[in-house]
Amino acid sequence: SQKNTNGYTIKKLLCVPLKVQGRVTGVVQVIDKVSGEDFNRDDQKLLEAMADAAAVAIENVRLFEAERKKTELLRQALDELHRTYRATVQALTGLLDARDEARAARCPRGLVHLEVEAAAREVGAQEVAGADLLSGGHGTVVDALLADHLLQELHGLAELL
């Protein structure tokens, strides 16, 4: 006999592990049969069966919660990607407008190149081919860098969802 924390004297105790895929995740215990008898092998088998079912249910809840958290993180990443995409499109529009304005004003090439480089750095391009940007050719370095980056991010998120 042993007293527990609330003063109840425990006379008989039966404990079985909660196991999931061979690892112990907890313990189930029962104390003192109402009849006062000792716990027997049938009691142990019944408690083990109940513990197995409980362990699976607890593990399923844990796994579901982990997946829910992953899904939320993916949603947040997708929202951030959408914000980045909109900002990138806006920055590219600004770059193209600056190029067009420079052509219209026949501004000195060096000044426009610096403005375009600064705007490109804002959207993450490391190097800018000023001649391509100012020449009006399709498929500039900045366009290619941004399009490639955005497509990679979108494909990665689509695969995860």
Side-chain angles (χ1 to χ4, degrees):
S1 293
Q2 185 175 358
K3 286 190 176 187
N4 68 7
T5 55
N6 66 4
Y8 178 80
T9 302
I10 299 171
K11 297 175 188 111
K12 313 274 193 244
L13 176 68
L14 177 61
C15 299
V16 297
L18 292 169
K19 290 188 213 173
V20 176
Q21 298 177 350
R23 65 183 165 84
V24 176
T25 60
V27 176
V28 175
Q29 71 179 17
V30 291
I31 55 174
D32 298 330
K33 282 181 139 180
V34 174
S35 67
E37 297 173 357
D38 288 343
F39 291 106
N40 59 36
R41 182 72 181 133
D42 288 339
D43 296 328
Q44 182 178 347
K45 286 180 183 178
L46 178 61
L47 188 57
E48 286 171 348
M50 292 170 56
D52 289 344
V56 169
I58 291 167
E59 181 68 5
N60 286 343
V61 169
R62 188 193 67 74
L63 291 171
F64 179 80
E65 184 61 23
E67 287 303 311
R68 189 194 63 75
K69 286 179 182 178
K70 286 180 189 176
T71 300
E72 180 58 29
L73 288 173
L74 285 173
R75 246 188 223 114
Q76 290 172 2
L78 184 60
D79 289 345
E80 180 62 28
L81 184 61
H82 282 229
R83 285 190 292 277
T84 302
Y85 174 77
R86 286 190 295 273
T88 301
V89 168
Q90 193 173 18
L92 283 173
T93 302
L95 285 170
L96 294 174
D97 290 345
R99 183 193 66 196
D100 293 344
E101 288 172 16
R103 276 195 197 138
R106 300 198 190 270
C107 203
R109 183 181 175 106
L111 177 62
V112 174
H113 181 73
L114 290 175
E115 288 176 5
V116 170
E117 271 191 341
R121 275 194 293 280
E122 284 183 33
V123 296
Q126 296 299 316
E127 294 182 24
V128 178
D132 287 344
L133 284 170
L134 296 174
S135 70
H138 296 288
T140 64
V141 171
V142 173
D143 294 338
L145 286 171
L146 291 172
D148 184 54
H149 175 71
L150 289 173
L151 284 174
Q152 287 177 11
E153 292 291 327
L154 287 171
H155 285 297
L157 283 174
E159 287 177 11
L160 291 172
L161 295 175

